[in-house]
């Protein structure tokens, strides 16, 4: 590779949400730029002014921020560059790489019919015409080669060959003076200094057309890497019925951004059998050359496994901040108890949704009514037993998990019953029927005063 600095970019179109495939493309571009000490840029392809609402643009930046993929420069908004795009078209006209075409809608229709019958692309009579230009609206077309082949050299897919007879003279500028998509992409990538175009393989044929535009302008081509799309677990194109497609949905389902990054990095790329790796490792290892050319399948179990790992690693206070919005009626006064309980239960959570369920028991009010199951367990005999347990607990000063485990064992022995005789009622009395961890941990979660208060509430006649 030359000494030229690597510049990559993500160029999302604002569609209202950020697709998980766009997120992975962004990640690959980001990793590649970091790996080679280059720059990662973002361009919002908002030329379609109808679709590009502020909300749709915000969704892109929110997705990127959530993923933790910061661009190295201010974003470029494609629609602001229309004048430059037109100037590029002028340059192509001057170089003889483009021409004005005055075909009418009817003429174009007729030519389409003939072209289809002859198995070739549409040709314009204006390409080599010496007729005086009519005083009428025109489009500008690329003067594409008619013979031979156009070969797109792709790092992931190898050489992709297009017969020039099948490539039409692409419109660069519409009759209303609006630049077209492929022209805008080439002008922008060139001006942004993009050296590597890494994007979804739904852009392969655009890649061939864009190569021709680069050539017509005498510009250096970037390296192209078209990565296979993400498919659902069943191998079909990822869609709503697979559970989620938008980055925001993954966040909503309780996946951590670092877990999502780790998981996405492994979709279509990998480092041996390594399943879990840090951002630093991904940067050190990533190469676009190692991306596989067949589509990757989303695997929810793998994602859950990876997420579980990152929840375990995550700081408890951060996890608390992340789940508080999911905890209905959360009272800020309970924050320290929440943080403590997260430390106790987080190993059991594969998502933040699960974590929120696992901590719920600790956040119930002292005098919240007991659930029906616990109420049913609290017979007079059990109430009397829990009352005696409460007295024993009140008398201890060692409120630690091992001490309380021993205390409960000794109490059961003294009562000549198994722990199963009162354990479920005790757990239900403390956590009001929400799933709670083992008894000693549950007692520690509440602390002595609160645990005794809950027991008093449960055993009162
Ligand atoms: N705007 C295109 C998209 O969202 C990407 C174009 C490109 O990366 O060149 O699919």
């Amino acid at each position: 590779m030359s000494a030229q600095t690597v510049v990559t970019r993500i160029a999302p179109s604002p569609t209202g949400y950020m697709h998980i495939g766009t997120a992975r493309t962004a990640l690959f571009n980001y990793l590649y730029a970091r790996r080679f000490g280059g720059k990662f840029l973002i361009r919002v392809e908002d030329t379609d002014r109808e679709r590009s609402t502020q909300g749709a643009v915000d969704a892109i930046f929110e997705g990127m921020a959530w993923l933790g993929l910061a661009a190295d420069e201010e974003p470029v908004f494609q629609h602001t560059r229309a004048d430059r795009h037109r100037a590029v078209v002028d340059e192509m006209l001057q170089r003889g790489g483009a021409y004005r075409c005055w075909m009418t809608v009817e003429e174009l229709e007729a030519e389409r019919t003939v072209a289809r019958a002859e198995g070739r692309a549409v040709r314009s009579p204006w390409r080599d015409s010496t007729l005086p230009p009519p005083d009428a609206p025109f489009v500008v077309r690329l003067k594409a080669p008619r013979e031979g082949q156009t070969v797109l050299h792709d790092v992931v897919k190898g050489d992709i060959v297009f017969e020039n007879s099948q490539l039409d003279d692409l419109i660069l500028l519409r009759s209303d003076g609006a630049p077209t998509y492929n022209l805008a992409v080439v002008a922008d990538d060139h001006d942004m200094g993009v050296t590597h175009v890494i994007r979804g393989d739904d852009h392969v044929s655009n890649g061939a057309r864009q190569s021709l535009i680069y050539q017509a302008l005498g510009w250096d081509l970037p390296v192209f890497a078209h990565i296979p799309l993400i498919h659902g677990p069943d191998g079909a194109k990822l869609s709503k019925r697979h559970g989620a497609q938008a980055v925001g949905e993954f966040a909503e389902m309780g996946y951590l951004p670092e877990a999502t990054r780790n998981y996405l990095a492994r979709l279509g790329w990998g480092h041996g059998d390594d399943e879990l790796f840090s951002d630093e490792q991904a940067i050190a290892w990533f190469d676009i050359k190692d991306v596989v050319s067949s589509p990757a399948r989303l695997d929810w179990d793998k994602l859950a496994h990876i997420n579980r790992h990152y929840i375990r690693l995550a700081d408890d206070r951060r996890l608390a901040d992340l789940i508080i919005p999911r905890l209905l009626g959360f009272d800020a006064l309970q924050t320290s108890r929440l943080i403590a309980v997260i430390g106790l239960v987080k190993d059991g959570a594969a998502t933040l949704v699960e974590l929120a369920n696992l901590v719920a028991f600790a956040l119930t009010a002292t005098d919240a009514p007991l659930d029906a199951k616990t109420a049913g367990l609290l017979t007079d005999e059990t109430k009397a037993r829990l009352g005696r347990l409460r007295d024993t607990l009140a008398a201890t000063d060692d409120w630690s998990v091992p001490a309380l485990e021993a205390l409960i064992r000794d109490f059961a022995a003294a009562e000549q019953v198994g722990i199963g005789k009162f354990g479920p009622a005790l757990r239900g009395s403390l956590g009001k029927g929400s799933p709670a961890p083992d008894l000693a941990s549950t007692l520690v979660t509440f602390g002595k005063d609160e645990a005794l208060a809950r027991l008093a509430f449960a055993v009162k006649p």
Side-chain angles (χ1 to χ4, degrees):
M1 188 174 299
S2 74
Q4 190 186 27
T5 311
V6 166
V7 179
T8 65
R9 84 323 189 251
I10 180 73
S13 306
T15 54
Y17 68 98
M18 187 169 180
H19 194 275
I20 196 72
T22 306
R24 185 192 50 162
T25 305
L27 177 65
F28 283 9
N29 276 284
Y30 172 88
L31 292 174
Y32 194 76
R34 287 286 165 281
R35 162 88 195 265
F36 292 101
K39 279 195 294 191
F40 167 64
L41 308 180
I42 178 162
R43 176 174 73 239
V44 180
E45 306 221 300
D46 55 357
T47 299
D48 181 347
R49 301 309 291 150
E50 301 259 297
R51 286 180 88 179
S52 305
T53 60
Q54 190 56 44
V57 173
D58 290 347
I60 292 170
F61 289 106
E62 278 160 22
M64 294 291 288
W66 182 80
L67 281 163
L69 300 180
D72 294 314
E73 286 178 9
E74 287 303 304
V76 171
F77 292 91
Q78 190 162 62
H79 87 274
T80 64
R81 295 181 32 86
D83 286 345
R84 167 64 180 153
H85 299 150
R86 282 187 280 271
V88 170
V89 173
D90 280 343
E91 195 179 327
M92 291 178 78
L93 284 166
Q94 272 159 31
R95 293 175 64 99
Y99 63 95
R100 295 181 178 83
C101 166
W102 281 270
M103 273 173 112
T104 63
V105 177
E106 296 74 25
E107 286 166 347
L108 188 58
E109 240 348 282
E111 162 63 8
R112 256 202 203 113
T113 310
V114 179
R116 207 170 294 133
E118 292 180 3
R120 58 161 174 83
V122 165
R123 302 294 178 213
S124 162
W126 292 98
R127 177 173 159 127
D128 302 306
S129 167
T130 48
L131 293 175
D135 184 16
F138 59 86
V139 300
V140 177
R141 288 182 181 273
L142 174 73
K143 207 176 230 177
R146 291 203 163 168
E147 268 98 52
Q149 296 172 327
T150 294
V151 181
L152 179 70
H153 300 289
D154 190 281
V155 180
V156 175
K157 298 188 164 276
D159 283 354
I160 306 168
V161 178
F162 294 83
E163 294 298 329
N164 288 337
S165 62
Q166 303 304 316
L167 295 178
D168 60 1
D169 287 349
L170 190 70
I171 295 178
L172 304 169
L173 201 67
R174 296 201 181 85
S175 56
D176 63 358
T180 59
Y181 170 73
N182 280 304
L183 181 275
V185 169
V186 171
D188 292 348
D189 281 339
H190 172 263
D191 291 359
M192 290 164 74
V194 171
T195 57
H196 292 70
V197 170
I198 304 167
R199 62 186 170 198
D201 67 4
D202 47 338
H203 287 283
V204 161
S205 66
N206 283 331
R209 294 168 179 289
Q210 291 167 12
S211 305
L212 294 175
I213 299 175
Y214 277 98
Q215 281 157 11
L217 283 156
W219 290 347
D220 286 343
L221 264 76
V223 173
F224 286 107
H226 287 96
I227 56 182
L229 301 184
I230 300 174
H231 284 183
D234 57 359
K237 190 170 178 252
L238 191 63
S239 71
K240 269 252 166 297
R241 74 192 161 80
H242 292 118
Q245 322 180 75
V247 172
E249 290 174 286
F250 284 74
E252 192 54 40
M253 289 161 86
Y255 298 103
L256 291 175
E258 62 270 39
T260 309
R261 280 199 299 276
N262 188 152
Y263 179 68
L264 288 178
R266 294 193 72 255
L267 275 184
W269 174 79
H271 183 262
D273 288 334
D274 291 315
E275 185 147 44
L276 300 164
F277 42 76
S278 64
D279 292 327
E280 290 70 27
Q281 287 171 315
I283 289 168
W285 295 334
F286 186 81
D287 199 329
I288 204 69
K289 291 200 300 280
D290 302 327
V291 171
V292 296
S293 59
S294 53
R297 286 189 190 196
L298 196 68
D299 180 335
W300 292 107
D301 290 341
K302 278 220 169 88
L303 176 57
H305 170 73
I306 291 176
N307 204 46
R308 192 183 283 280
H309 167 80
Y310 285 97
I311 286 179
R312 213 172 282 157
L313 287 186
D315 177 64
D316 296 342
R317 185 171 297 268
R318 173 179 165 226
L319 291 172
D321 287 340
L322 289 171
I323 63 170
I324 284 172
R326 299 173 188 268
L327 301 171
L328 260 139
F330 180 77
D331 178 346
L333 291 174
Q334 294 179 305
T335 304
S336 53
R337 184 189 295 168
L338 174 62
I339 294 169
V341 74
I342 285 174
L344 281 172
V345 302
K346 67 179 181 180
D347 282 7
T351 65
L352 295 177
V353 175
E354 288 182 14
L355 186 61
N357 288 333
L358 290 177
V359 301
F361 81 94
L363 306 173
T364 50
T366 314
D367 57 358
L370 295 169
D371 61 297
K373 183 163 169 246
T374 304
L377 292 172
L378 286 167
T379 58
D380 288 346
E381 189 193 348
T382 305
K383 276 190 183 178
R385 182 166 285 130
L386 287 189
R388 291 192 291 280
L389 174 62
R390 187 180 177 282
D391 294 341
T392 313
L393 287 166
T396 184
D397 289 325
D398 191 350
W399 205 261
S400 66
V401 169
L404 291 169
E405 275 172 355
L407 183 150
I408 290 167
R409 261 197 318 271
D410 293 348
F411 176 78
E415 295 273 320
Q416 298 186 329
V417 293
I419 294 176
K421 261 276 187 266
F422 62 91
L426 172 58
R427 184 182 282 108
S429 300
L430 294 169
K432 313 286 183 180
S434 292
D438 64 273
L439 294 172
S441 298
T442 304
L443 288 165
V444 168
T445 300
F446 286 112
K448 185 171 175 179
D449 291 349
E450 178 63 24
L452 294 181
R454 284 176 183 245
L455 274 178
F457 177 85
V459 303
K460 74 175 186 301

